[in-house]
């Protein structure tokens, strides 16, 4: 079940990532610093992702979990920001840094969602 959920998480995550990264890149293009671009993209992404991940990956519609979901994204935001800052410090662009930071933050996000947010909710259908 873990492998199937992770694959669903990756597929749904691809859509979510395209949504979030598009906002991030657009905001940088519009002149916002990468810190604020990441913050706004994360906030909008969390709202979008809560519904897609909850329903399509963990079969949960429990809106009471949104606080935990936001906590997970606060953690992944901090890791993401740290990684981007480090990569920029070593000469990578904000665009490439944002893309590369997706790998570790995706794995962390799945694990935290699986074992913290939606723990025990994997078979809920209402």
């Amino acid at each position: 079940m873990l492998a199937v959920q992770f694959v669903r998480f990756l597929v749904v995550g691809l859509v979510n990532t395209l949504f979030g990264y598009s906002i991030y890149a657009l905001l940088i293009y519009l002149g916002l610093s990468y810190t604020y671009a990441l913050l706004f993209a994360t906030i909008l992404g969390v709202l979008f992702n809560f519904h897609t991940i909850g329903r399509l990956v963990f079969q949960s519609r429990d809106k009471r979990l949104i606080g935990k979901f936001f906590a997970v994204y606060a953690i992944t935001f901090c890791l993401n920001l740290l990684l981007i800052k480090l990569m920029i410090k070593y000469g990578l662009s904000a665009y490439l840094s944002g893309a590369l930071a997706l790998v570790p933050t995706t794995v962390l996000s799945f694990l935290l969602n699986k074992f913290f947010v939606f723990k025990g909710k994997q078979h809920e259908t209402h």
Side-chain angles (χ1 to χ4, degrees):
M1 183 66 176
L2 182 65
V4 172
Q5 277 185 326
F6 189 67
V7 169
R8 280 193 306 223
F9 184 81
L10 291 176
V11 171
V12 170
L14 179 61
V15 172
N16 294 349
T17 299
L18 289 173
F19 176 81
Y21 186 75
S22 295
I23 291 170
Y24 170 79
L26 175 66
L27 292 173
I28 288 175
Y29 176 77
L30 294 174
L32 214 55
S33 74
Y34 67 88
T35 302
Y36 291 115
L38 182 62
L39 177 64
F40 292 129
T42 299
I43 291 168
L44 293 173
V46 168
L47 297 172
F48 181 78
N49 298 353
F50 179 69
H51 295 289
T52 59
I53 290 171
R55 289 180 182 167
L56 300 174
V57 177
F58 297 106
Q59 291 78 49
S60 175
R61 295 174 186 243
D62 189 349
K63 294 183 185 338
R64 296 172 297 177
L65 299 175
I66 197 154
K68 286 183 175 183
F69 197 79
F70 266 100
V72 165
Y73 274 83
I75 292 166
T76 57
F77 172 82
C78 291
L79 175 63
N80 203 352
L81 185 58
L82 174 67
L83 293 172
I84 290 171
K85 281 184 177 189
L86 286 172
M87 287 186 267
I88 288 173
K89 181 179 178 180
Y90 288 101
L92 295 178
S93 73
Y95 295 105
L96 182 57
S97 298
L100 292 174
L102 292 172
V103 175
T105 57
T106 297
V107 172
L108 179 63
S109 178
F110 174 75
L111 294 173
L112 290 174
N113 276 297
K114 169 82 176 154
F115 296 109
F116 175 65
V117 177
F118 297 103
K119 182 179 179 181
K121 302 287 183 185
Q122 289 80 5
H123 302 293
E124 184 179 308
T125 58
H126 59 284

